Amino acid sequence: MKSDNNLVEWNDIVIESVILAVLIFGAVFVEHWIYRRVQKNEDNSTRKKILLLIKEDLTRKMRFINESSKYKDYKPFFTDVWDSVIISGKQTLLPFELIKNLEHTYSWMKYYNTELKQQATPNEQTLIELLSEIKKTTEASLDTLK
């Protein structure tokens, strides 16, 4: 009799342990799934905000380019929007091809800024050519963002 009671007690302990393990595993799995879902939603929201911010910035850059060409008023570009995306590490939320495209566009702007800084009186023809190239790459980036 005593061995039957011990056997029943061990069976109960094993069954309770298995049920407890399943509950713990299930809770951890559900918690991890919820966390991943929340993270995915946050990433999507951040991606949309970044794309909107970049699109607005590039639209302003197009106006800046047109005004610079029209009035022959050559001032440096501010690339702080793209720089902040890079510094924050959020560019990884964007598709690789889009990152390459935007990096190319903003690199032209930085090159233009360098040309402005290096020469006391910059060559106007060089600046016009650079603005033309920046305009082409900016238009291509805006088309990609649509």
Side-chain angles (χ1 to χ4, degrees):
M1 285 275 167
K2 241 184 181 182
S3 68
D4 285 340
N5 283 340
N6 282 341
L7 186 60
V8 170
E9 287 177 17
W10 277 108
N11 285 341
D12 289 345
I13 291 172
V14 169
I15 290 170
E16 288 173 3
S17 296
V18 168
I19 292 171
L20 182 61
V22 168
L23 288 173
I24 291 171
F25 178 78
V28 169
F29 177 79
V30 168
E31 182 180 354
H32 181 68
W33 179 80
I34 290 171
Y35 172 77
R36 287 182 55 213
R37 185 76 181 145
V38 166
Q39 189 64 45
K40 186 177 178 182
N41 289 340
E42 287 177 6
D43 288 350
N44 286 338
S45 174
T46 302
R47 182 181 305 107
K48 287 178 185 176
K49 290 175 185 175
I50 287 172
L51 290 174
L52 180 63
L53 182 67
I54 290 172
K55 187 175 180 182
E56 289 175 357
D57 184 53
L58 291 177
T59 302
R60 285 191 305 266
K61 298 292 190 255
M62 287 300 293
R63 282 194 301 265
F64 181 81
I65 292 167
N66 291 333
E67 290 173 5
S68 292
S69 298
K70 182 178 178 180
Y71 300 114
K72 300 192 183 304
D73 182 25
Y74 306 110
K75 295 178 184 171
F77 285 94
F78 292 111
T79 59
D80 52 337
V81 169
W82 182 246
D83 294 341
S84 66
V85 170
I86 296 295
I87 290 171
S88 69
K90 298 295 183 182
Q91 79 277 9
T92 58
L93 297 174
L94 305 174
F96 181 70
E97 291 301 318
L98 181 59
I99 295 169
K100 280 181 18 180
N101 182 291
L102 293 171
E103 184 61 36
H104 180 74
T105 299
Y106 282 97
S107 292
W108 273 107
M109 291 178 201
K110 290 178 181 189
Y111 179 66
Y112 171 87
N113 290 349
T114 302
E115 284 295 317
L116 278 178
K117 284 181 188 177
Q118 285 183 347
Q119 302 171 5
T121 55
N123 182 341
E124 187 171 338
Q125 185 60 35
T126 302
L127 296 178
I128 291 171
E129 290 171 8
L130 286 173
L131 282 175
S132 173
E133 188 62 37
I134 294 168
K135 185 174 184 174
K136 282 192 289 186
T137 60
T138 303
E139 288 171 343
S141 292
L142 283 170
D143 287 343
T144 303
L145 288 171
K146 288 182 182 178

